[in-house]
Each structure stands twice: as structure tokens, then as C-alpha cells.
Amino acid sequence: MENILVTGGAGFIGANFIRYLLQHETGIRVINLDKLTYAGNLGNLSNLPSPNRYTFIQGDICDAPLVNRLMHEYAIDTVVHFAAETHVDRSISTPATFIQTNIMGTFTLLEAARQAWLDDALYPLDRVRFHHISTDEEFGSLGPHDPPFSETTPYAPNSPYAASKASSDQLVRSYAHTY
């Protein structure tokens, strides 16, 4: 890893991931792409270790020209994809937003990575990574005495949020297999 694109890095989990990387991985540069919606807060990124290895870009993962430009301008070799619309209740009232961000946004990132890493051959394929962050919501609901979910638990999404994340997982899986 040299140049890591983190999406949704102004959220709580993404920001802590960035903080960890900058503190423990001295040879990397982090580019944080975040739209700064309800879940993003630049305050989560205050006092970062090694701020000279960190760049913040406010933008949307659905903006293909922007994502393509970042992949090339920063020679991205790793994508860590946290960005997502979240919360079941919000997905019930505004499902289209979830479909756009969680499915189409993931597709936009996958296409940009495919183009940069395969078509333009910025790096050999054994040096690139695409890490997609998922959610347990995809597996449905657990009762008080049910065993915990595992990697073999079948998908059973019960909300537009869960269905959109399950769909994005399947896109990532298909790109890993196909390309």
C-alpha cells in the first residue's frame, strides 16, 4: 500500500481508520473522499498524526469524473470503501438515496478502479486492493437465542438499507471474480 483512497473517512469509523493508518503505516498517503452529509464530521479528523500524508477531498462517490481523476492524480493502489447511506429508518423514508449511494456509488468506485488498474495499468494487479465495508443488516434479524451471523449466513435483507448494502457486496464480489 502506498496511496490509499478512503471513502467516507469523515465518519466515526472511517476517521478512526485513517488515524490508525497514519499512526502505524509510515509509508502511506491517505486521500479521504467524503461528501460530508449527516454522518461526516471534519472534527473527527482533527489533530491527525502525520497530516502531511493526508488529503481531504469533499465530493460524492457517485461523481465518476471526480473519482477517476483522484485514482490517477494520486496513483491510488488501495481503495477502502466506508462511504454509505446508513440507518434502516432513513432508508424506509428515502430509499432512492440509498440505492444511488450504496449501489451506484460502489459501482462508480469499482469502475474507476477497473479502469485505473486494468485498462491504464497504474499498478500490477498483485499490488492493488479494494476493501468494501459492509453491514450485518444484510443477514436479517437475530432473535435472543439465535446463533450469531457468520460468513456462511444467507442474505436476508429486511430494509432498503440492507438490500442496498447486500447489492453492493454482490457487485464487489462480481468485480473481484470477473476482473
Side-chain angles (χ1 to χ4, degrees):
M1 294 184 301
E2 293 177 7
N3 300 305
I4 302 171
L5 175 64
V6 176
T7 68
F12 178 76
I13 299 170
N16 281 290
F17 176 75
I18 289 170
R19 186 174 304 284
Y20 178 87
L21 279 179
L22 291 172
Q23 186 171 4
H24 296 284
E25 300 292 332
T26 58
I28 58 100
R29 176 170 181 74
V30 175
I31 312 308
N32 177 12
L33 175 61
D34 197 299
K35 193 173 176 181
L36 293 180
T37 62
Y38 62 91
N41 180 350
L42 288 179
N44 292 334
L45 296 158
S46 62
N47 302 316
L48 286 175
S50 302
N52 58 317
R53 296 186 291 119
Y54 171 78
T55 301
F56 174 75
I57 308 289
Q58 185 171 355
D60 189 340
I61 61 170
C62 295
D63 182 345
L66 171 63
V67 174
N68 286 321
R69 180 177 61 80
L70 295 177
M71 292 294 290
H72 287 83
E73 182 177 329
Y74 293 99
I76 300 297
D77 64 349
T78 303
V79 175
V80 182
H81 178 32
F82 289 97
E85 295 290 336
T86 60
H87 305 303
V88 170
D89 292 346
R90 289 185 63 252
S91 78
I92 294 168
S93 61
T94 59
T97 306
F98 285 71
I99 301 307
Q100 182 64 28
T101 299
N102 297 351
I103 299 174
M104 295 307 296
T106 300
F107 172 72
T108 299
L109 291 166
L110 287 165
E111 275 294 289
R114 183 183 65 79
Q115 180 182 1
W117 298 339
L118 285 176
D119 297 348
D120 301 338
L122 289 182
Y123 291 100
L125 287 181
D126 65 344
R127 290 195 45 221
V128 297
R129 298 288 179 265
F130 191 106
H131 295 281
H132 174 68
I133 310 306
S134 195
T135 178
D136 67 334
E137 293 285 339
E138 299 172 357
F139 302 109
S141 302
L142 288 176
H145 302 291
D146 291 338
F149 297 134
S150 74
E151 291 82 4
T152 60
T153 302
Y155 283 153
N158 293 324
S159 68
Y161 166 54
S164 69
K165 289 298 287 180
S167 297
S168 65
D169 278 7
Q170 294 301 309
L171 274 174
V172 172
R173 182 184 184 287
S174 75
Y175 268 65
H177 179 78
T178 302
Y179 303 108

